[in-house]
């Protein structure tokens, strides 16, 4: 008599071995599968810099005195503004903004230095192109800060030290480098490509060919079939993860502050969840294009509600609630925690456990759906 | 443990088997019995319900009504046990194209849990039977249609099932390959394996030891080919069948159909197969054709073919249906 546990997974070995053969046969596909997420990472990693720097600025200096030139120097010395041209008329100034040549226009009025001497308020007009909100927000802050600083210096006569100075210090990512913040989250999204997609395709291909129906008349058990199908892809997903981390550490110089082994171990439950989602997708989809669309559909919450792009804390309540059901939320917590903050198992075990629970639930659901299908096509 | 109904139970038995899809009835009250070692051929037009019957018998689809037993096991309650005892080659059976012939066989063997040594022996034995030896290392996708079907059959029988279900195993392969596959089927049935085969080919049906014909979800013929050919519906009293060989068969057919002792006539190759009544007179027919310049070379009595049987039964069934509807 077979043991009942082995019985539940009947056929696992055969399916696993066969799936591994498929993968080995099609090395071209394997190569592209592995290389594409890395390319995406390179493009996104080098392309995206969320810090606002060197904003193109045009200046109209009607005053043209020492005081106005000092102000312009301050603007230029901040990393935020880059003066690309000097205008001579209001019209030129406006044109530069409308045409997009400059994002910021600064107009120093003819009476700027006079007003300063009279101890009146000297007004400086700063026009900002609001079509890019992150640029606009940050430029406003910097421009206001420069104005405030200039005022204080003048009020205090320039010699006295400032009475209060705030010294904010960014922990974990001292240089505010975008890749440091961005890549750990991206890892979660990129892994979906080699997990959800691949498993969904692996099963739907058999549906299209008719071999799945054939398998259903054999004594293979749904769980044996599922695990046999996903385990080879768990291997691929894990390999991909290692490549991604390697690229992140070397090419992007994002160090892993925490324990790398812990990161790898806690990645397993996430890979498991994504693979199970692939199974679920394949229980629904009947063709490869359907599988592709459905998989993309499952990617969307991982991209938008996981904290990868928009911080979870500032989400509207409904989205915040949704984010609790998105596996990537937990995984991004794990990657950012370990990579950026050096978090340990005591901080992250809950996330790992939730992922493991999700994966188990999903794979049982998929097995149930396949069991039904066996007896109803 | 599974209890098996002992003694006289046939390998395959169905009673009043019915399957509905919504309002549509795909299989209606089908009863049949296939004995050990028989090659049972199920024929019928497209969409008549052949595949649906096989799916119910193999436990893939629960019947909406009636019962069926395979190897004495109720397919409703013991579908798992049934699956272990049967081999099934589905209508769309496909192999894994990117695996070799040997790998395909190994996969199916493993899935049935054959131990390595036994699997090796089984593959050896099957290869000796089906002649796949030279192709073992070739990718299944690179085989020709006939070889693919033989490999598919081999995969379906690695676990030594005593009962095989083949759904249109010869669809789309050439006549030589068809014959070879049937030779293989007869070899195996000689070893006591029971076959349930569907087909659209009359010549294949003629070779079966037992045939049935399904028409719009109902079984309308069931028996040995000889018994069916002797059915009164096929040979109405006072009629017989003749083969008329003549040049210009098409023109001859048009004329023959006009003659009043001819019940029906169709072209078969270079000759005409006709059902005639007792007024039939050979000389009269020859004379009438000769007037149009057609010289009959031979007229001889003819056994009804299975095709004649199915055509006759279909007409009768249609007429009955129309009578009921009217
Ligand atoms: N899952 C299903 N849902 C609805 N209708 C179905 C389903 N499966 C089969 N049918 C219908 O049942 C009828 C019988 O189909 P079946 O496949 O058994 O025919 P068949 O005799 O095997 O035909 P063919 O010679 O074309 O293979 C067809 O009209 C088909 O459309
Ligand atoms: Mg069919």
């Amino acid at each position: 008599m077979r043991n009942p546990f082995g019985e539940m997974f009947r056929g696992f070995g055969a399916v696993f071995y066969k799936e591994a053969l498929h993968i080995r046969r099609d090395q071209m596909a394997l190569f592209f599968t592995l290389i594409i997420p890395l390319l995406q990472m390179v493009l996104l990693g080098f392309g995206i810099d969320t810090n606002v720097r060197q904003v193109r600025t045009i200046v109209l200096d009607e005053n043209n005195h020492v005081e106005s030139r000092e102000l312009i120097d301050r603007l230029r010395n901040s990393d935020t503004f880059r003066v690309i041209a000097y205008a001579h008329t209001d019209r030129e100034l406006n044109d530069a903004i409308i045409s997009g040549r400059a994002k910021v226009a600064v107009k120093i009025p003819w009476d700027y230095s006079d007003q300063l001497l009279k101890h009146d308020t000297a007004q400086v007009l700063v026009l900002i192109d609001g079509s890019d909100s992150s640029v606009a927000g940050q430029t406003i802050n910097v421009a206001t800060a420069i104005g405030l600083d200039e005022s204080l210096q003048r009020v205090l006569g320039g010699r006295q030290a400032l009475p209060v100075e705030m010294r904010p210090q960014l922990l974990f990512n001292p240089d505010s480098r975008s890749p440091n913040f961005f890549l750990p989250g991206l890892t979660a999204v990129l892994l979906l490509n080699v997990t959800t997609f691949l498993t969904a395709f692996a099963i739907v291909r058999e549906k299209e060919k008719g071999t799945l129906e054939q398998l259903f008349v054999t004594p293979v058990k749904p769980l044996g079939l599922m695990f046999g199908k996903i385990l080879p892809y768990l291997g691929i997903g894990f390999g991909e993860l290692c490549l991604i981390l390697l690229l992140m550490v070397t090419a992007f110089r994002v160090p892993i502050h925490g324990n790398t082994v812990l990161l790898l171990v806690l990645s397993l439950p996430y890979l498991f969840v994504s693979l199970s989602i692939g199974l679920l997708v394949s229980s629904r989809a009947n063709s490869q294009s359907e599988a592709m669309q459905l998989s993309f559909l499952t990617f969307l919450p991982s991209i938008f509600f996981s904290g990868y792009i928009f911080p979870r804390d500032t989400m509207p309540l409904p989205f915040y609630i949704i984010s609790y059901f998105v596996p990537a939320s937990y995984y991004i917590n794990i990657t950012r925690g370990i990579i950026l903050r050096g978090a340990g198992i005591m901080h992250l075990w809950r996330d790992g456990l939730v992922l493991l629970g999700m994966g188990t639930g999903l794979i049982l659901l998929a097995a149930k759906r396949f069991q039904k299908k066996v007896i109803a096509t | 443990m599974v209890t098996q109904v002992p003694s006289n139970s046939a390998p395959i038995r169905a009673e009043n088997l019915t399957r509905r899809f919504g309002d549509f009835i795909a299989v209606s009250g089908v009863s049949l019995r296939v004995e050990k070692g028989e090659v049972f051929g199920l024929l019928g037009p497209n969409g008549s319900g052949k595949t649906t019957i096989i799916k119910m018998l193999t436990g893939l689809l629960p019947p909406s009504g009636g019962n069926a037993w395979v190897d004495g096991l109720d397919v409703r309650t013991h579908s798992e046990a049934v699956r272990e005892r049967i081999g099934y080659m589905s209508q769309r059976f496909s192999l894994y194209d990117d695996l070799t012939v040997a790998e395909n066989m190994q996969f199916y063997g493993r899935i049935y849990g054959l131990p390595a040594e036994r699997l090796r022996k089984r593959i050896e034995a099957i290869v000796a039977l089906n002649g796949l030896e030279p192709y073992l290392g070739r990718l299944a996708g690179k085989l020709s249609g006939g070889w693919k079907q033989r490999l598919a059959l081999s995969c379906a029988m690695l676990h030594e099932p005593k009962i095989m279900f083949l759904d249109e195993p010869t669809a789309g392969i050439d006549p030589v390959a068809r014959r070879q596959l049937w030779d293989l089927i007869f070899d195996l049935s000689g070893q006591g394996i029971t076959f349930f085969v569907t087909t659209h080919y009359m010549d294949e049906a003629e070779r079966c030891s037992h045939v049935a014909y399904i028409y719009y979800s109902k079984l309308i013929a069931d028996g040995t080919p000889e018994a069916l050919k002797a059915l009164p519906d096929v040979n109405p009293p006072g009629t017989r069948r003749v083969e008329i060989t003549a040049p210009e068969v098409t023109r001859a057919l048009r004329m023959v159909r006009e003659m009043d002792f001819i019940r029906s006539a169709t072209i078969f190759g270079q000759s005409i197969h006709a059902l005639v009544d007792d007024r039939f007179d050979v000389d009269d027919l020859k004379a009438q054709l000769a007037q149009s310049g057609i010289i009959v070379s031979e007229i001889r009595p003819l056994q009804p073919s299975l095709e004649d049987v199915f055509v006759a039964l279909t007409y009768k069934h249609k007429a009955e249906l129309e009578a009921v509807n009217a």
Side-chain angles (χ1 to χ4, degrees), chain B residues 251-271:
Chain B
R251 194 155 68 89
L253 176 71
R254 226 174 306 138
M255 302 191 54
V256 166
R257 278 186 171 162
E258 296 295 307
M259 300 173 187
D260 46 11
F261 47 73
I262 301 279
R263 290 271 182 102
S264 65
T266 48
I267 292 185
F268 220 91
Q270 284 308 304
S271 59

Side-chain angles (χ1 to χ4, degrees), chain B residues 46-52 91 167-168 198 200:
Chain B
N46 290 126
S48 51
K50 302 182 294 296
T51 300
T52 309
Q91 188 166 359
D167 198 354
E168 294 189 31
T198 71
H200 285 292

Side-chain angles (χ1 to χ4, degrees), chain B residues 213 220-221 228 231 233-234 308-318:
Chain B
Y213 191 73
I220 60 172
L228 292 181
L231 281 178
D233 288 330
V234 180
D308 295 325
V309 173
F310 296 142
V311 167
L313 291 176
T314 303
Y315 275 128
K316 181 185 161 236
H317 196 78
K318 244 193 211 159

Side-chain angles (χ1 to χ4, degrees), chain B residues 25-202:
Chain B
I25 300 181
V27 173
S28 158
V30 166
S31 300
L32 51 83
R33 182 185 174 100
V34 181
E35 302 297 338
K36 183 161 190 286
E38 272 189 335
V39 177
F40 175 85
L42 180 62
L43 285 91
N46 290 126
S48 51
K50 302 182 294 296
T51 300
T52 309
I53 290 181
I54 289 199
K55 280 191 176 169
M56 287 193 281
L57 291 176
T58 51
L60 275 175
L61 194 68
S64 318
N67 288 303
W69 296 265
V70 168
D71 202 13
L73 296 168
D74 188 331
V75 295
R76 285 173 182 276
T77 50
H78 294 102
S79 71
E80 303 252 336
V82 165
R83 278 177 218 178
E84 301 206 22
R85 283 149 209 252
I86 59 162
Y88 171 43
M89 190 172 149
S90 71
Q91 188 166 359
R92 296 175 55 212
F93 190 105
S94 39
L95 301 149
Y96 296 101
D97 285 346
D98 56 340
L99 301 191
T100 64
V101 169
E103 284 163 350
N104 268 287
M105 288 202 265
Q106 281 155 3
F107 171 65
Y108 279 103
R110 284 204 192 99
I111 238 184
Y112 280 97
L114 298 192
E117 183 56 18
R118 175 140 165 255
L119 177 59
R120 201 181 54 74
K121 289 223 173 87
R122 265 307 276 167
I123 291 181
E124 240 168 53
I126 288 183
V127 162
L129 203 63
N130 65 14
L132 273 165
E133 179 82 63
Y135 303 116
L136 281 177
R138 187 179 289 195
L139 291 185
K142 298 261 157 71
L143 293 178
S144 70
W147 285 109
K148 266 188 192 160
Q149 292 305 84
R150 266 195 265 183
L151 173 56
L153 179 60
S154 309
C155 287
M157 51 178 282
L158 270 165
H159 57 297
E160 297 185 73
K162 289 278 169 252
I163 305 168
M164 298 281 302
F165 291 88
L166 314 181
D167 198 354
E168 294 189 31
T170 54
I173 61 175
D174 69 57
V176 178
R178 277 209 292 141
R179 164 145 309 181
Q180 285 169 340
L181 194 77
W182 274 90
D183 288 344
L184 191 56
I185 291 174
F186 281 106
D187 276 354
L188 294 165
S189 94
Q191 297 171 16
I193 297 180
T194 308
F195 278 88
F196 188 113
V197 187
T198 71
T199 178
H200 285 292
Y201 295 105
M202 289 301 154

